[in-house]
Amino acid sequence: MVYTADRPFRQDDPRWAREVMWDRDAVIEVHTRFNEASKSCAESLLRSFKGTGGNTIGNEGCLISCLAMVLAHLCEETWNPSLLNAEAIKRLYYSRCGLAMATLYSDLISEVSAGEVQLCLKEEYLSGEQGWSKVLAHESLPLRAYRSLPRKDRKYFIAMLKTGTYDDTVASHYVIADPLAQADVDDPDVPLLDPAMPMDWTGGIWTLSRSAQRITEDKQIRKEWDRQGIDPLQIAGVWLFARWQSKNQRSLIMPLAEVLAR
């Protein structure tokens, strides 16, 4: 397993870490003025990062970094978090003041790739929410199916995982199941491409457990994980993206469907 400056994309990469995704003050103003929300309700929409640059890719860009990795893995074009952040804002998937015309991030992938890459399967497990049991990575059927694919078929798919809490305000996180890792579908400690992995990491394979240890160094995240009883190897959801192999292909999901059928 080889990690480089561009594998995975890191949130704190100086090339884009300071780029703003949302302006918290503007979001609060819009929500109170136009949505008639209370100030406390508006303030709860985004976490405050005083003194650390605000709501930037570096602080809150794990999802946009993962989606950029999806495109970089499945498309021939060159993508990175900076380019995808600019496209998302341009296409009104989100804006600095919180206004948006589209809410489904998976649609962004299809739109910027002209349909070449699409979401083909998704499950969410609502970790930390009442009534939902814990799901570990090896217990997720879509993730097991993806990791069971032959190498020749797996290159047309990529799996994005959500960890931490279902609530995205403070303590959730997004990662990519490393598409080049040797697959052991019964191992819950999945090898990852993680936007939170240190730029200078040289300590071996980066996994779910290492990711959990890293992000819970943040005291607010640790507090929420403890409060909601989040397990380090627990996942909150899985998104499988696929690439059209040819214009004559009838469905993106056929190789995956065959594994699921078995």
Side-chain angles (χ1 to χ4, degrees), residues 145-166:
Y146 165 73
R147 300 179 74 202
S148 298
L149 284 170
R151 189 75 172 266
K152 64 181 179 64
D153 291 329
R154 204 195 316 169
K155 68 180 180 180
Y156 296 111
F157 294 87
I158 197 163
M160 183 175 76
L161 311 180
K162 182 177 181 178
T163 66
T165 63
Y166 172 69

Side-chain angles (χ1 to χ4, degrees), residues 245-257:
Q245 299 174 35
S246 73
K247 292 182 179 180
N248 297 323
Q249 184 181 354
R250 294 183 62 187
S251 174
L252 297 89
I253 203 172
M254 281 308 296
L256 192 67

Side-chain angles (χ1 to χ4, degrees), residues 17 47 59 62 81:
R47 183 178 174 184
N59 285 328
C62 59

Side-chain angles (χ1 to χ4, degrees), residues 121-260:
L121 185 61
K122 179 186 83 166
E123 286 189 353
E124 294 189 66
Y125 309 120
L126 279 67
S127 55
E129 299 296 306
Q130 186 174 1
W132 284 82
S133 58
K134 295 180 180 181
V135 174
L136 303 184
H138 68 298
E139 298 170 332
S140 166
L141 184 58
L143 184 56
R144 286 184 68 91
Y146 165 73
R147 300 179 74 202
S148 298
L149 284 170
R151 189 75 172 266
K152 64 181 179 64
D153 291 329
R154 204 195 316 169
K155 68 180 180 180
Y156 296 111
F157 294 87
I158 197 163
M160 183 175 76
L161 311 180
K162 182 177 181 178
T163 66
T165 63
Y166 172 69
D167 184 345
D168 282 328
T169 306
V170 173
S172 65
H173 187 54
Y174 291 86
V175 295
I176 298 289
D178 192 330
L180 301 181
Q182 187 70 28
D184 179 357
V185 297
D186 293 314
D187 184 359
D189 204 6
V190 181
L192 301 178
L193 300 180
D194 184 356
M197 189 176 81
M199 293 288 293
D200 58 353
W201 176 254
T202 58
I205 297 174
W206 189 265
T207 60
L208 268 178
S209 59
R210 281 179 163 153
S211 177
Q213 183 177 10
R214 171 71 170 175
I215 67 171
T216 55
E217 290 173 2
D218 183 308
K219 293 181 180 179
Q220 286 187 257
I221 293 176
R222 165 54 67 187
K223 180 179 179 181
E224 281 301 302
W225 278 41
D226 289 343
R227 186 178 71 83
Q228 298 191 39
I230 302 299
D231 189 292
L233 298 182
Q234 182 177 355
I235 62 174
V238 56
W239 286 254
L240 288 178
F241 294 89
R243 173 187 172 186
W244 289 97
Q245 299 174 35
S246 73
K247 292 182 179 180
N248 297 323
Q249 184 181 354
R250 294 183 62 187
S251 174
L252 297 89
I253 203 172
M254 281 308 296
L256 192 67
E258 291 170 359
V259 173
L260 287 167

